[in-house]
Amino acid sequence: MDSCTLYPINIPLRNDGKPDLRYKAAKEFVASDISKERTTNPSKLSIQSLKSTSHSSKPEIIEQQEQKVQEQQKLKLIDIGKMITIVKDDFVSGTCKAVRQGLIILNDDRTINPQSPLNLDGIIKIRSDGKLDRRLKVMQYIDDRSSKLKVEDYIGEQSKEDSLIINTELFFGLLEKKPGLRSSNYSIEQSLSFLSEKVNPKVGKDTRTKNINNNKRIIELIDGNGRMTRELRTYIQQKVDAIHDLQQKKKTTADIEWIGCEMENLVRK
């Protein structure tokens, strides 16, 4: 409202022609007029108020959007990582999903071709020796089967005096003889979980030493060396029977099946 505005005759005015707010009628008129203007012209609301609202909500919206993008990127990396399998000597398995779908192209010497789509997209990086650079985030989610199986990676410190660790050592020793791609960590953990049901948790020192020696002799027999004895045959048969029991309970894996067959073959010789 300016000095040219015409006011109702009952509104007291100052010398400059504006409502004299010392009077109740003037105060009520001004208050009513402002309220009406805000209702009919919302665009004339306080600019400072709008700025304040925008300023307070904008960072929160941006943060939520960034979190959503980061989560989507992480899920994408997890999905891609699951498609990549690393085997012995850090080579990418030629049978993994990333290779089968053409996302990773392998050269004849099994190194990674720089023209691989995942490399061009920056999701993976190739070292000078043609293998995957483990520093990239996607490497956190790959199926890594490159390292040698170690008992301490699967069995806690509290189990080191149990007969379970002896069976685990035998299990890992036999798996090294198994042809083809090593099983995933999940599959190995599942096998160990089943096998752990068929051991005596506590054994004496003499028995433990004897079991360790028998396990070594089993590995030698698998390699075509060593000699079968009556005692060793009985020891192997006990393990075969335990595996048969697991099979009947449908608590078995491809690794357990393979080991069972190998041990049965030893007993039959």
Side-chain angles (χ1 to χ4, degrees):
M1 294 177 291
D2 53 35
S3 57
C4 297
T5 302
L6 296 177
Y7 297 99
I9 193 170
N10 63 324
I11 301 300
L13 303 176
R14 300 186 315 220
N15 292 334
D16 60 2
K18 294 182 180 180
D20 191 337
L21 299 180
R22 292 176 299 174
Y23 298 93
K24 182 178 179 181
K27 288 181 180 180
E28 290 178 349
F29 171 79
V30 171
S32 174
D33 196 56
I34 291 175
S35 176
K36 181 179 179 182
E37 184 175 351
R38 286 183 175 178
T39 303
T40 57
N41 298 287
S43 61
K44 293 185 179 181
L45 288 172
S46 169
I47 295 177
Q48 185 62 34
S49 174
L50 288 174
K51 285 183 177 180
S52 176
T53 303
S54 175
H55 180 73
S56 62
S57 62
K58 188 175 181 180
E60 183 178 347
I61 293 174
I62 292 176
E63 184 178 353
Q64 291 175 349
Q65 291 175 339
E66 289 177 347
Q67 288 177 348
K68 186 175 181 180
V69 170
Q70 290 174 358
E71 185 63 26
Q72 290 174 340
Q73 290 175 340
K74 181 179 178 180
L75 292 175
K76 180 181 179 181
L77 288 179
I78 291 174
D79 288 340
I80 293 175
K82 290 179 179 179
M83 299 169 67
I84 303 172
T85 301
I86 304 296
V87 294
K88 187 178 179 181
D89 297 326
D90 269 0
F91 285 109
V92 173
S93 170
T95 61
C96 72
K97 195 172 183 179
V99 174
R100 295 200 313 269
Q101 292 191 1
L103 299 176
I104 291 180
I105 302 171
L106 298 181
N107 299 317
D108 292 339
D109 61 357
R110 299 172 64 196
T111 58
I112 303 172
N113 191 305
Q115 294 302 312
S116 297
L118 289 183
N119 183 57
L120 296 177
D121 290 343
I123 296 175
I124 64 171
K125 188 175 180 180
I126 305 173
R127 301 186 321 219
S128 58
D129 61 0
K131 300 174 183 178
L132 287 176
D133 189 333
R134 288 183 175 269
R135 292 175 295 179
L136 270 69
K137 288 184 178 180
V138 70
M139 299 302 288
Q140 301 175 43
Y141 312 111
I142 65 166
D143 182 6
D144 190 352
R145 309 187 195 184
S146 61
S147 59
K148 184 177 180 179
L149 293 172
K150 297 179 182 179
V151 174
E152 55 267 29
D153 292 338
Y154 293 86
I155 304 296
E157 288 289 327
Q158 70 277 8
S159 301
K160 286 200 170 181
E161 294 302 318
D162 296 349
S163 63
L164 173 60
I165 193 171
I166 298 170
N167 284 274
T168 303
E169 288 172 343
L170 174 61
F171 178 63
F172 286 173
L174 291 171
L175 284 187
E176 288 184 6
K177 311 299 178 183
K178 183 183 176 184
L181 182 64
R182 194 196 88 188
S183 298
S184 66
N185 291 335
Y186 172 78
S187 178
I188 290 172
E189 289 172 355
Q190 189 177 39
S191 296
L192 289 175
S193 175
F194 292 152
L195 290 172
S196 67
E197 298 180 14
K198 307 305 298 182
V199 296
N200 181 11
K202 298 293 181 181
V203 296
K205 183 177 180 180
D206 292 341
T207 302
R208 186 159 55 248
T209 301
K210 188 179 294 185
N211 288 347
I212 291 174
N213 291 332
N214 282 333
N215 290 341
K216 290 179 179 178
R217 293 166 67 189
I218 290 174
I219 299 297
E220 290 175 354
L221 289 173
I222 294 290
D223 287 335
N225 303 316
R227 183 175 63 88
M228 177 68 78
T229 64
R230 181 180 298 179
E231 177 189 352
L232 183 57
R233 190 182 301 275
T234 300
Y235 179 77
I236 296 174
Q237 186 62 55
Q238 289 174 348
K239 295 191 176 298
V240 171
D241 293 341
I243 289 176
H244 284 168
D245 186 54
L246 288 174
Q247 290 170 334
Q248 290 177 358
K249 296 178 180 178
K250 300 188 183 303
K251 293 184 175 182
T252 185
T253 63
D255 288 334
I256 293 177
E257 295 287 328
W258 181 83
I259 288 174
C261 289
E262 290 297 306
M263 288 192 168
E264 280 193 81
N265 290 336
L266 292 178
V267 172
R268 290 171 182 168
K269 288 182 180 179

